[in-house]
Amino acid sequence: MLYPSIDKLIELTDSKYALVVLTAKRARQLQTQTMNQVGSSTTRNVSRALWEIYNGDVATTKKAEQA
């Protein structure tokens, strides 16, 4: 099983789509930051982006639920 789980990550965003877009944007940012670094981490950028979202290092916006 992968960790953090998709269920916990979706709770942080409005939808799966929002999670995918946020993850892709952060992964691209990480890619451009690590392109010029020698000996960069072996952790893949997408995995790293998901961990940052889960830990709250990346700001997420969640719309208030309508009653």
Side-chain angles (χ1 to χ4, degrees):
M1 179 167 205
L2 298 174
Y3 192 77
S5 72
I6 188 74
D7 297 326
K8 292 181 181 178
L9 287 165
I10 289 176
E11 291 174 1
L12 302 174
T13 60
D14 290 330
S15 65
K16 290 179 186 177
Y17 177 78
L19 177 63
V20 169
V21 170
L22 182 62
T23 303
K25 285 182 180 181
R26 181 60 184 146
R28 277 189 231 117
Q29 289 174 349
L30 292 170
Q31 179 66 31
T32 57
Q33 289 175 0
T34 59
M35 281 178 47
N36 297 327
Q37 293 179 354
V38 177
S40 61
S41 174
T42 59
T43 305
R44 296 190 183 259
N45 292 330
V46 173
S47 298
R48 193 166 157 200
L50 287 170
W51 274 107
E52 289 181 0
I53 293 167
Y54 180 73
N55 290 330
D57 298 336
V58 176
T60 60
T61 57
K62 187 169 184 177
K63 294 180 183 176
E65 294 184 25
Q66 297 178 359

